[in-house]
Structure formats: structure tokens, C-alpha cells
Amino acid sequence: MLTRLNKQSFSLRTLVIAASKYTAIISLSIVAITSQALASETVNAEPAKAKAELKTKLSHLISYSASFSQSISDATGKELQSSSGKLTLKTPNQLRWETELPDETLLIADGTTVWNVDPFVEQITVMHQHTITQNNPLMLLVSDDEQQWSSVEVKKLKSGFLVNSNDENANIVSLVIEFNGNVLSRLQSTDRQEQKSLLVFSDIKQNQDIDASQFIFEVTDSYIIDDQRTQQ
């Protein structure tokens, strides 16, 4: 699910959801979310009750695939970047992010390792998955790790849920998860630099069989491999 992570393309790009700026599993068709707008949409509900409701809703999300449109904007609302592609998720902790426009890129998280592929230059960056996903509220979509849940606060919104990170080191500081019924329909995130990202999903297939090969990348001899796992 992703453009180059080190360029904020996940997600997440973002996932999605960028290794250092995981606004990739996530950025999109520009919706500048201000704290005032979020506050006005908040429904009075106890945080513990809202968190329990979100956990229950996400516990039914076993697999997910959809096309996405993505846009990233700065703190003033100016659009910085837009893209489109396909996102595939499967619990636990598996993700595939393919960007088709403006450039073809691929990111695969297989549960332990992240493969960030740039077909244009035929280069693969390999990273430990936990170094990207730790302290990232986006991982709540594919993980039931209690440590992840304990590091966030949840508020109920009219259109979904607002997740705020309590971790001062988190790259994604807030995340809005929206549903159409029980189907995930939209993700909006704000990073520590106050950049806003939005993912809008279409052609959604939720809880249908996904082939395991979607989360495997076959390395060919023509690709240059930058393995950062030893450095991490």
C-alpha cells in the first residue's frame, strides 16, 4: 500500500501505512482536518467505550482490498501531492500498497519485513517491519496488539472514530477512521509536521479471500537491494 516511504508516499506512503513519516498507508484528496472541525463532530461518549467500540468494529476486518485516491496537503490546506493505486490488507500485520499514478511503486509488509520497491530504478529497500509500525496508530487496522491500543485515545465521531496518539515519538499524531456500515471507507491522518493526508477507497472487497502471494516479493537479479535491517 505504497509510494516511497522515505518520501512520504504509504500510508501509512500513509498504511499505511512511510518508514520515517508513515503518512503513506495514507494521504489523499485533500481534506484539511482542523482540531476545531474534529471537535465539532465529536459525539459525547466515554473514551473507554469509544475505544471498545472501535476495537470491536476492527476485529471484524480480517482482510481488505480496494482502489484508493490519495492526497497530501500542508497545514494551510495546500495540496502537495496526489496519487492513486490499490491497497490490500490482511490480519495479522500484512499489507500491500501499490501506487499506479503518478509513478508505479510497491510496498509489501509481510508481517516481519517491509519491501519497498522502486521499479523505475530497480531498487528494493528492505526494513524490519516493527521499526516502521511501532507507535503508529495506523497499525490498529491490522493488529490487535494491546500495546498499540494502550498508546492511543479514541473518540467517537458522527462519521467514524478519531484516534489520537499519546506517544510523543509517533509520526502519525491523529487518525480518523470512517466506515460505511461496517465497511472501511476512508482514512484521514495528520502527522507531526501538521501535514494532512486522506485516503478514499472504492471497489472495496472486505473479508474476501486474498492469496498469500500478495504479500510475497520475488527478488530478481536485476534489482539493487538496500538492506537496512542490520543498521536498524
Side-chain angles (χ1 to χ4, degrees):
M1 63 161 178
L2 309 137
T3 63
R4 297 186 64 143
L5 289 180
N6 55 5
K7 291 184 179 178
Q8 278 195 341
S9 20
F10 290 150
S11 340
L12 122 261
R13 204 159 229 50
T14 29
L15 337 324
V16 85
I17 5 215
S20 59
K21 304 214 172 195
Y22 197 123
T23 90
I25 220 166
I26 288 182
S27 306
L28 314 119
S29 99
I30 202 165
V31 168
I33 303 181
T34 65
S35 58
Q36 291 87 350
L38 290 174
S40 67
E41 199 185 355
T42 301
V43 174
N44 289 328
E46 296 179 6
K49 183 178 179 181
K51 182 181 288 190
E53 185 176 344
L54 177 59
K55 288 177 72 173
T56 298
K57 214 167 187 65
L58 290 178
S59 70
H60 299 300
L61 198 161
I62 308 302
S63 65
Y64 186 88
S65 65
S67 299
F68 68 80
S69 62
Q70 175 181 9
S71 117
I72 302 174
S73 60
D74 63 19
T76 69
K78 179 182 178 181
E79 186 174 27
L80 304 176
Q81 186 173 354
S82 64
S83 61
S84 62
K86 185 174 181 179
L87 167 67
T88 306
L89 296 172
K90 186 176 182 180
T91 59
N93 303 321
Q94 293 180 302
L95 175 151
R96 181 185 180 97
W97 176 281
E98 300 172 81
T99 300
E100 298 166 353
L101 295 172
D103 300 303
E104 292 185 11
T105 61
L106 171 65
L107 183 141
I108 293 176
D110 62 15
T112 58
T113 304
V114 172
W115 307 83
N116 190 16
V117 184
D118 188 332
F120 182 74
V121 297
E122 294 191 329
Q123 179 169 321
I124 305 168
T125 302
V126 187
M127 297 164 282
H128 287 301
Q129 188 166 329
H130 70 84
T131 63
I132 296 175
T133 59
Q134 62 188 358
N135 307 325
N136 193 322
L138 290 171
M139 290 308 296
L140 300 178
L141 298 177
V142 290
S143 173
D144 59 0
D145 186 352
E146 283 301 323
Q147 185 174 351
Q148 293 278 355
W149 282 100
S150 65
S151 66
V152 300
E153 293 183 356
V154 180
K155 293 182 180 180
K156 181 73 178 295
L157 305 177
K158 293 178 181 178
S159 57
F161 298 85
L162 168 64
V163 181
N164 287 316
S165 176
N166 294 324
D167 193 320
E168 61 182 12
N169 296 316
N171 292 315
I172 302 298
V173 298
S174 68
L175 175 68
V176 176
I177 305 174
E178 298 186 21
F179 296 88
N180 182 4
N182 289 318
V183 177
L184 178 66
S185 60
R186 203 161 77 152
L187 293 173
Q188 304 173 74
S189 66
T190 304
D191 69 13
R192 194 156 295 281
Q193 287 69 46
E194 298 187 16
Q195 288 191 350
K196 317 291 182 179
S197 71
L198 172 68
L199 286 174
V200 178
F201 301 113
S202 60
D203 301 323
I204 298 169
K205 297 178 181 178
Q206 186 164 303
N207 295 340
Q208 297 187 20
D209 288 340
I210 295 177
D211 195 288
S213 63
Q214 291 290 301
F215 308 104
I216 298 173
F217 182 73
E218 298 289 345
V219 181
T220 63
D221 294 338
S222 62
Y223 275 77
I224 299 172
I225 300 177
D226 176 16
D227 193 336
Q228 299 183 2
R229 289 173 293 183
T230 55
Q231 302 171 29
Q232 296 170 343

